[in-house]
Amino acid sequence: LQDAITMDRLTINLGVRWDQQYGNNNPTTIIGNPTPEYAAAGIAPTVNYLGANKPFTWDDWQPRVGLTYALGTNRTTVLKASYARYAEALGTNQTGQINPTNSVAYLYYPWNDANHNNLVDPGEVNISDPTHPLSWRGIDPTNQGSGVSPNTFSSNFHAPKTSEIVAGVDHELFPAFAVGAVYTYRKFTDQLFRFPTGITSADYVLAGTFAGTLPSQFGGGTYSAPYYAFAPGITTPPGYVWTNRSNYDQTYNGVDLIVTKRLSNKWMMRGSFSYNLDRQHTNGTSGCVDPTNTVPGQSADTGNPQTNYTAESCADNTYVATRSTGSGSKDSVFLNSKWQFNVNGMYQLPMNFNIAASIFGRQGYPIVPFRRTVQDGYVKDVVLVTTDSLRYDNVFEFDMRLEKLIPITQTANVTLSADLFNITNENTVLQRFNRVHAAATNDGLIKEIQSPRIWRFGARISF
């Protein structure tokens, strides 16, 4: 529901949006492990899941308010402000977290390669105690054929929220030439969160500390990072509780400066500069059930909802650096630049030639080195230094384009173009292997660099 109210120089936009989000789990049967010795031991038997509709429902009202006010005789200055609240969209996999057939369930048992052929042969897997594997996930080892998932949702499971305030001014300095400034504040709360069923922060004790010297590619500084495990006598639960993270939020403060020259007198230009501070705040024991400060969402920690939000799971007042992906070629990229700029423009030359250029720059992204440990069956990638303490070099790129417009008919033309990217041939390192090993292997080696100088020639037919 929305409406706009105009009173001379003032325009008010009012609105409210309502979302209802839910999902269903369909009945499913998974055929058990057919290997006779495992079937006889009751390992990974057939699972019959009856399904579950709407294990939770998200209902959210989201208000919107916007104001603009024009100043000056010619109204060449416009003040603007807005407030909005947004509810996060429900992911396609979220409802399935209580579905025992939703994802791969696994159990690890000891193996003795008795004949040394590097193959798992019958009789070589130690299944003398099938209900106590070395580790497991997504299945209850004491009730492996259960049609009920070991995961649950909290009773008040709801959508994460973002509240946003924007205030700015636009001013036309000259005809077709305008400048602007915008301030943005955002607060993100109710992050999707999971923790082992029945576990609280009081169940963890210090298990050890990683200490050493970083690889020379990371500056060679020293580090000391503690990690935690369950206290003696606490058994690893088979599943997780999915809930919203209390005592945790993220705040974003950003300023954008903008220059726009519309095409006139044969030239156009756009320019922008941004500076921002994006931080997370973790307060209280419920904000961080496991006090180990980890890099969420590594391939060994799949399904961790924190992957989408930050490079450190349990650090107060640190910079938010969203991870680009949990695996693959970009698994060591953490998106956070406190500043960046871009200027691009085009000039119309005689004889239907156009020349254009673009200059881009940003602060280097954080380097987040970690060391891996396994505690209580959970893989933990422990952060060794804070997010903002190590960064890659700043990135700069200068591109140009020359094009020639050739008319064919009154309604058709051919455009011939030549583009040159990264004119100065910068070879800035964008990504290094960020896992640190006790015995160095590929620690700190280059994984990705800036694309080199590239020529591109093209032709485009328009009609």
Side-chain angles (χ1 to χ4, degrees), residues 58-268:
W58 289 352
D59 289 296
D60 295 285
W61 291 94
Q62 301 158 75
R64 313 272 198 267
V65 179
L67 304 172
T68 59
Y69 188 81
L71 298 174
T73 303
N74 296 322
R75 305 190 180 191
T76 55
T77 301
V78 176
L79 305 178
K80 54 188 179 181
S82 66
Y83 166 79
R85 187 175 68 204
Y86 305 95
E88 187 168 299
L90 176 62
T92 56
N93 190 47
Q94 195 61 59
T95 302
Q97 294 302 323
I98 62 162
N99 183 338
T101 67
N102 178 60
S103 60
V104 175
Y106 62 83
L107 304 106
Y108 282 128
Y109 292 92
W111 167 50
N112 177 29
D113 188 13
N115 57 11
H116 306 290
N117 66 348
N118 297 319
L119 297 175
V120 180
D121 297 315
E124 292 185 339
V125 178
N126 183 354
I127 55 174
S128 59
D129 190 357
T131 62
H132 291 83
L134 293 176
S135 63
W136 61 91
R137 196 69 69 240
I139 187 172
D140 184 348
T142 63
N143 189 11
Q144 297 180 24
S146 174
V148 178
S149 170
N151 301 325
T152 59
F153 294 114
S154 65
S155 59
N156 189 32
F157 190 51
H158 54 272
K161 306 292 193 305
T162 300
S163 297
E164 179 184 76
I165 297 174
V166 179
V169 56
D170 292 326
H171 177 66
E172 187 180 55
L173 284 176
F174 313 105
F177 192 99
V179 296
V182 179
Y183 165 74
T184 303
Y185 170 83
R186 296 190 189 100
K187 186 171 184 178
F188 173 56
T189 58
D190 300 331
Q191 175 194 46
L192 296 183
F193 189 59
R194 74 177 190 189
F195 61 89
T197 303
I199 299 299
T200 69
S201 58
D203 295 320
Y204 288 89
V205 295
L206 181 66
T209 300
F210 284 131
T213 302
L214 291 172
S216 58
Q217 298 91 334
F218 296 155
T222 60
Y223 61 85
S224 178
Y227 54 90
Y228 299 81
F230 293 150
I234 296 179
T235 303
T236 301
Y240 296 98
V241 175
W242 284 75
T243 185
N244 300 94
R245 194 173 184 183
S246 59
N247 293 309
Y248 176 91
D249 64 71
Q250 294 176 8
T251 55
Y252 172 91
N253 289 273
V255 175
D256 298 283
L257 306 178
I258 304 165
V259 177
T260 304
K261 166 63 172 66
R262 297 190 301 275
L263 180 61
S264 63
N265 300 323
K266 298 185 177 182
W267 71 284
M268 63 177 292

